[in-house]
Amino acid sequence: MKPTALAMTHRTDDAWFDLVPQALIEFDEHGHLLRSNAAFAGMFGKAPAPGALLGHESEALQQLTGWDAPLALIGLAPGAPPMTNLAFIDQGSSNRRYLRSQVHAHPAVPGQPERFLCVVHDTNPLALVVQTPQPPDFTNTSGEPTGLMEFDQDQLLHELRTILESSPAGIAYVRDNILVRCNRRFERMLGLNPGTLTGQHLDALLASDPRIRRVVDQSTVELKNTGQFESELEIVAPGFPTRWYALSVRRIGPRTDTLEVIAVLSDITRIRSQQAQLEALGRDRDLMFTMSGVGIAFVRDGLVQSANPALASLLGLDHQDMAGRPLASLYITDVDTSTLARTDDQILAQLGEHGHWQGERALRHPRGTPLWAEVNLRLVKPDQPEEGFIASFVNVDDRHRAEQYLTLQADRTRAILDSVFVGIVTLDSGGIAWMNRSARRMFGGDLPDFLGHPLSTVATSDIDHPFRLTGYLDDLLDGQSHTFECQVMGRDGRVFWVVGNAVVTLGEFGERQITYALMDIDRRREAEALTAEAQATLQRIIEMAPMTITLCDAKTLTVIQANQAASAFMKIEPAKAAGLTPEQIHGANRGRQLRTDMLRALDSAKPLQREYKFEQGPGSSVQTWDVSYLPLSHDGQTADQLLLVASDVSEQRAAEQARLEAAIAQREMLVKEVHHRIKNNLQGVAGLLQQIAARKPEVASAISEVVGQVQAIAQVYGLQVGAGGPLRLKNVIEAIAQSVQRTFSRTITLVVEGSNASEWQLPEAESIPIALSLNELLTNAHKHGLAAEALTCSLICGEQQVCIEIRNAGLLPEGFNVHRVPGGVSGLGLVRALLPRRSSKLSMTQEGEQVVTRIELNPPGISLVPTPHILGAPSGQQIALWPQ
């Protein structure tokens, strides 16, 4: 501690110190003068400056304070008898003032240097002053009077002898290389037996250890030059550990006289050990400072005084550039969002108040991105903030960014949980800790309304309600869950059903929490109740239904369930049919047929209807069953069950067949009668027209054309008299060709090509238009062709269409196009108007000397005769129990 600092610590008692009439002076173990009072200044002639070193003051002041032999002060303990010293000061040529002092040790203060108080007494002689030489270690050998009164000499010698023997330092008086006197401590410190050195030559001492000889030789030279010598001596006594001593040798008397010295040995082994420890600690401190991975800096007045390489590496700077840099320049304040971070003034205020500060700060880095570090500031001296502080920096950038990422993830998770339709509620030991938006909407309140409350606040009055169970946190293991269904009563009074799942999770600080996932199933419960009621109703309907209803397994086709009416179809009781295959129930032949249709319905995944005729037995009637197969499956999945619905339609089919046959017979009879009368009427009309043509030759040609048309229509009705259903195309063509041939007495050759010519038929609505068109084309060929040559009419039948081709000798006009002929009531215009456009095509071409007219007929204008009805094929009305 500096002298000024020590002087400041004593300013509280300076007042009383100056008022004491006794001369006082105070100093510490380092030789710093702390203070002196006015009485000392008046006695000594001047007051030494506070903070001065005793080693630089006068010899008399050093003798009074005992600093001429400082090692003797080491053994002076607080409360021990004071150490007495003698000295004199010159006050003129013949006047000397003799002073006597007593040095007391102050009680030790932890962390402060040891202090001593020197009390000075004036010892000027008031009686006879003796000239007896004083002991060599306290008197001047020049023969000056000691200033002590004779009656004090024995007491003084006794005190000096007591002080000499009780001193913790080894003291010896040597004169002319003879060790005149020494205390026992001196001999023991050198490892010699007490009482063996007094009066012996120095050679006896030098022979004990060569290191002593070397020190003595050095001290002899220094004493001749300066009068004093100080050194440290290492002594290794046999049987004792190595000891270190501080040697202080001071010459007394004039330099011209015989060499007289006082040697003082002080044990500094503990001090040397402490110095070695301090040096080791210093080395360790420097090593820790330089080798530590934590950035450390010493800061004073806001500037970095020194920094270790770890801090420079952390900041990406040169280690030499750290000194003198402002500490505030290391921070980035615009991104410092730490909850512990404050402004620099606030940080310094807290540091001065508490002596330390800890927080996270964003450091500048050359790469441009902030580097987060944990900063710890601590004052070097808590009571003196101006002495500076130590700042340590630990890189927590990865942890800080991980925390930011975890916070972002937590926010995202909360946002996701708020967006789901499932209610999420988290509970800890204190009650509800958090719930998402769906749960708040479900419970009819906001989050503050439920925080800290138990989940049973929304439970019904049921004492066994799952929300009243509190053992989940202790009973459930990590990863285990508990599923339940219960009723919930919201804050709005609504009571509804939920299905829940409880699982134990870990909270933010590692504590166990329980998380509930709740789904409102009130509508589902209502739907289940309605479904159960509908299923019960359906089951009753099925049991009471008069038709056979059987449910079969899709894989094995065995019967799962059948109603009572199914016994008529299976010829076995429904209870006995469970688990049996179709072959086991219906026999090999019938069962094989049923299995085939079942598999076909399952493969197509569509409803399939079949009608079976089964004989009851040899010679008995045939029973007809209308059977429907319906595969049962979920959307997009394979059917796992097959529903079979069968109805006995034997009587219905017999009645339908009888009614159908009667209706057909009646219709055929009526149609034949009508067609016969139409034909007769048309032939009567044709006869009347021919009579008119005979009476009026000027219109004979026009009337003959009309007569041909009427005859063509009559031929169609004539053909319908003997036919049931649609007319055969071949018969119509033959009838029209014969009618035209009779009318105009013109030979017409009919050619038929195709094996299926007799199977093509005309619908009833198309018969007359085709007949009139064919009549007009044959009449047109007769009028415009050469009379000497016969007309040719060919029927060419294919698999998909029929072509009627008419050939006659003649020439078409140049540029003739049948599609440009306008519609009319006769000729080609009538043909274009009558032919159905969707199923026919008309063309006229010139092939050599012949004109070829073609009519192409396509379905549905014509059709093939349908195949006969196959016994067992579906017929009648289909009964559907489920939507198709």
Side-chain angles (χ1 to χ4, degrees):
M1 182 179 295
K2 295 181 179 180
T4 56
L6 289 174
M8 292 175 62
T9 60
H10 298 288
R11 63 175 176 266
T12 57
D13 57 347
D14 283 345
W16 71 263
F17 193 81
D18 286 334
L19 295 176
V20 175
Q22 189 71 40
L24 302 176
I25 184 171
E26 190 175 20
F27 62 96
D28 62 11
E29 63 180 351
H30 301 300
H32 293 112
L33 283 170
L34 302 180
R35 58 183 174 174
S36 61
N37 60 357
F40 179 82
M43 180 181 296
F44 203 73
K46 64 176 181 179
L53 291 175
L54 287 175
H56 298 164
E57 295 296 326
S58 64
E59 183 176 358
L61 185 58
Q62 295 185 32
Q63 291 176 353
L64 285 175
T65 58
W67 196 253
D68 57 340
L71 296 178
L73 296 172
I74 298 177
L76 188 60
M83 183 176 68
T84 304
N85 299 313
L86 295 174
F88 66 88
I89 56 175
D90 290 329
Q91 293 182 339
S93 58
S94 59
N95 295 326
R96 289 185 177 182
R97 192 170 188 174
Y98 294 90
L99 304 176
R100 181 182 179 185
S101 67
Q102 289 181 334
V103 180
H104 301 266
H106 277 296
V109 178
Q112 299 293 334
E114 187 176 1
R115 295 184 301 163
F116 301 93
L117 180 65
C118 178
V119 182
V120 183
H121 303 276
D122 190 355
T123 59
N124 283 323
L126 299 177
L128 179 65
V129 178
V130 296
Q131 300 292 330
T132 305
Q134 301 302 315
D137 49 349
F138 295 103
T139 62
N140 193 327
T141 59
S142 62
E144 295 293 337
T146 62
L148 297 176
M149 292 180 293
E150 185 177 3
F151 59 84
D152 290 333
Q153 184 177 6
D154 294 338
Q155 180 68 23
L156 178 61
L157 291 176
H158 174 71
E159 291 178 357
L160 291 176
R161 191 177 295 109
T162 303
I163 293 173
L164 184 66
E165 293 299 333
S166 61
S167 174
I171 303 174
Y173 169 57
V174 181
R175 183 173 56 192
D176 196 17
N177 294 330
I178 300 297
L179 197 149
V180 178
R181 181 176 299 172
C182 68
N183 61 357
R184 292 181 176 85
R185 178 66 176 168
F186 185 84
E187 294 173 327
R188 284 195 297 268
M189 291 176 70
L190 295 178
L192 301 176
N193 295 326
T196 59
L197 283 180
T198 303
Q200 294 190 17
H201 198 273
L202 283 181
D203 292 338
L205 177 62
L206 299 179
S208 62
D209 195 326
R211 283 171 293 191
I212 299 178
R213 177 180 291 278
R214 184 167 55 253
V215 171
V216 170
D217 293 341
Q218 294 176 357
S219 64
T220 302
V221 176
E222 290 293 329
L223 289 174
K224 289 180 180 180
N225 295 331
T226 63
Q228 61 183 6
F229 173 77
E230 292 183 358
S231 178
E232 291 183 357
L233 182 63
E234 181 183 11
I235 300 297
V236 181
F240 294 93
T242 302
R243 309 293 294 181
W244 280 90
Y245 301 123
L247 173 64
S248 178
V249 182
R250 185 178 299 273
R251 180 174 181 173
I252 59 176
R255 296 183 179 180
T256 58
D257 296 342
T258 303
L259 180 64
E260 294 180 86
V261 297
I262 298 297
V264 179
L265 283 178
S266 300
D267 192 346
I268 60 171
T269 303
R270 182 173 60 87
I271 298 176
R272 287 295 299 262
S273 177
Q274 291 176 350
Q275 289 178 348
Q277 293 177 0
L278 290 176
E279 291 175 358
L281 290 176
R283 289 193 300 271
D284 294 343
R285 183 202 63 183
D286 294 339
L287 185 62
M288 292 173 61
F289 186 74
T290 56
M291 299 299 293
S292 173
V294 177
I296 303 174
F298 173 60
V299 183
R300 178 186 292 171
D301 297 331
L303 301 177
V304 177
Q305 305 299 320
S306 61
N308 65 343
L311 180 58
S313 176
L314 183 66
L315 297 174
L317 301 175
D318 189 2
H319 179 249
Q320 303 298 330
D321 297 339
M322 292 296 299
R325 182 182 293 270
L327 181 64
S329 65
L330 306 182
Y331 301 139
I332 303 178
T333 57
D334 54 348
V335 298
D336 198 350
T337 59
S338 173
T339 56
L340 298 179
R342 303 290 188 270
T343 63
D344 291 337
D345 294 339
Q346 292 174 335
I347 291 175
L348 293 178
Q350 184 176 355
L351 179 63
E353 180 180 358
H354 302 287
H356 62 87
W357 181 89
Q358 183 177 1
E360 292 185 1
R361 301 294 298 269
L363 305 181
R364 296 185 183 274
H365 199 272
R367 66 188 180 190
T369 57
L371 179 69
W372 285 92
E374 181 179 348
V375 183
N376 195 326
L377 308 180
R378 188 170 295 275
L379 291 177
V380 176
K381 296 182 179 179
D383 56 343
Q384 297 180 3
E386 65 275 3
E387 293 295 328
F389 57 87
I390 301 296
S392 63
F393 301 84
V394 179
N395 187 354
V396 294
D397 192 65
D398 293 339
R399 177 178 63 79
H400 190 275
R401 298 185 185 278
E403 289 177 353
Q404 286 183 332
Y405 176 76
L406 291 177
T407 302
L408 180 60
Q409 287 295 102
D411 293 340
R412 289 178 178 174
T413 303
R414 289 286 178 89
I416 293 173
L417 292 179
D418 272 337
S419 64
V420 300
F421 295 104
V422 177
I424 307 296
V425 183
T426 301
L427 286 87
D428 54 20
S429 58
I432 296 177
W434 182 81
M435 60 174 58
N436 67 344
R437 186 180 293 109
S438 297
R440 298 194 294 269
R441 190 183 304 113
M442 188 182 299
F443 294 164
D446 296 328
L447 182 59
D449 300 335
F450 297 97
L451 287 179
H453 292 278
L455 192 57
S456 59
T457 188
V458 293
T460 58
S461 58
D462 186 5
I463 59 175
D464 294 331
H465 198 281
F467 289 175
R468 301 187 189 277
L469 301 178
T470 59
Y472 291 147
L473 283 175
D474 300 327
D475 298 338
L476 288 180
L477 301 177
D478 292 343
Q480 274 190 329
S481 61
H482 176 69
T483 304
F484 56 86
E485 287 188 12
C486 63
Q487 280 187 311
V488 175
M489 179 181 294
R491 289 289 182 91
D492 54 359
R494 187 172 72 97
V495 179
F496 54 95
W497 281 90
V498 297
V499 59
N501 191 31
V503 62
V504 173
T505 57
L506 292 180
E508 182 179 359
F509 302 102
E511 73 277 9
R512 285 169 62 87
Q513 295 180 338
I514 183 167
T515 299
Y516 289 86
L518 307 174
M519 180 179 291
D520 188 345
I521 60 169
D522 201 49
R523 294 185 179 179
R524 193 192 76 180
R525 295 278 298 209
E526 294 177 358
E528 289 178 352
L530 293 176
T531 301
E533 183 179 355
Q535 288 179 347
T537 303
L538 180 60
Q539 186 67 27
R540 290 194 298 269
I541 293 174
I542 291 174
E543 291 295 335
M544 298 298 295
M547 62 186 65
T548 296
I549 300 177
T550 304
L551 187 64
C552 302
D553 182 71
K555 294 182 178 180
T556 61
L557 301 182
T558 57
V559 175
I560 300 176
Q561 185 180 359
N563 64 347
Q564 191 62 34
S567 58
F569 178 71
M570 298 185 297
K571 306 302 181 183
I572 191 175
E573 289 295 328
K576 298 180 180 180
L580 299 180
T581 62
E583 290 81 3
Q584 294 173 338
I585 296 174
H586 301 279
N589 296 332
R590 186 186 302 181
R592 184 167 49 252
Q593 185 178 3
L594 292 175
R595 177 180 289 274
T596 301
D597 292 335
M598 287 180 175
L599 295 177
R600 186 175 301 169
L602 290 172
D603 293 340
S604 63
K606 295 180 180 179
L608 179 66
Q609 184 179 6
R610 286 289 184 265
E611 188 172 296
Y612 304 107
K613 294 184 180 295
F614 299 141
E615 293 184 358
Q616 299 297 323
S620 60
S621 61
V622 177
Q623 192 175 18
T624 304
W625 290 90
D626 186 10
V627 181
S628 296
Y629 302 100
L630 178 64
L632 303 179
S633 64
H634 298 288
D635 295 339
Q637 297 183 3
T638 306
D640 54 355
Q641 292 179 343
L642 180 67
L643 183 65
L644 183 149
V645 180
S647 300
D648 186 359
V649 294
S650 301
E651 297 180 359
Q652 180 182 351
R653 293 292 182 266
E656 289 177 356
Q657 186 65 27
R659 289 195 300 270
L660 179 62
E661 290 177 356
I664 290 174
Q666 185 178 6
R667 179 182 180 279
E668 289 180 353
M669 181 182 66
L670 293 175
V671 169
K672 288 180 180 180
E673 181 65 24
V674 171
H675 287 173
H676 181 70
R677 292 185 180 183
I678 291 174
K679 175 185 177 183
N680 292 338
N681 292 335
L682 289 176
Q683 288 180 347
V685 171
L688 293 175
L689 290 174
Q690 288 177 350
Q691 291 177 7
I692 294 172
R695 292 196 300 268
K696 294 182 179 182
E698 66 276 11
V699 293
S701 60
I703 290 177
S704 63
E705 184 176 351
V706 175
V707 169
Q709 295 175 355
V710 173
Q711 289 289 353
I713 297 174
Q715 290 296 329
V716 172
Y717 280 103
L719 292 174
Q720 290 179 347
V721 172
L727 296 179
R728 302 299 173 95
L729 178 60
K730 178 181 176 183
N731 296 338
V732 173
I733 293 175
E734 290 177 350
I736 297 301
Q738 291 177 4
S739 174
V740 173
Q741 183 174 342
R742 286 195 301 269
T743 301
F744 297 106
S745 300
R746 180 72 177 269
T747 302
I748 299 176
T749 304
L750 182 62
V751 179
V752 178
E753 298 181 4
S755 59
N756 58 348
S758 59
E759 297 179 0
W760 288 99
Q761 59 185 6
L762 290 170
E764 187 174 353
E766 306 290 346
S767 300
I768 293 179
I770 295 298
L772 289 176
S773 298
L774 186 58
N775 180 77
E776 288 298 326
L777 291 176
L778 289 175
T779 303
N780 187 60
H782 164 71
K783 289 181 179 180
H784 298 286
L786 299 177
E789 295 185 4
L791 301 177
T792 302
C793 180
S794 301
L795 176 62
I796 304 172
C797 300
E799 295 295 332
Q800 300 294 333
Q801 67 174 189
V802 174
C803 179
I804 302 175
E805 186 178 277
I806 299 174
R807 292 178 177 269
N808 66 284
L811 293 173
L812 290 174
E814 186 175 357
F816 176 79
N817 189 347
V818 70
H819 300 293
R820 295 178 182 176
V821 176
V825 296
S826 64
L828 294 177
L830 179 62
V831 173
R832 290 195 60 197
L834 291 176
L835 285 177
R837 296 184 180 181
R838 63 171 183 169
S839 59
S840 62
K841 181 180 179 182
L842 174 65
S843 64
M844 295 185 68
T845 58
Q846 184 73 42
E847 295 182 4
E849 296 180 354
Q850 290 186 337
V851 176
V852 179
T853 304
R854 292 187 179 88
I855 299 177
E856 295 180 4
L857 299 176
N858 298 296
I862 58 173
S863 62
L864 290 171
V865 177
T867 57
H869 176 69
I870 301 175
L871 190 62
S875 62
Q877 183 179 3
Q878 180 178 354
I879 300 174
L881 296 179
W882 281 267
Q884 302 294 321

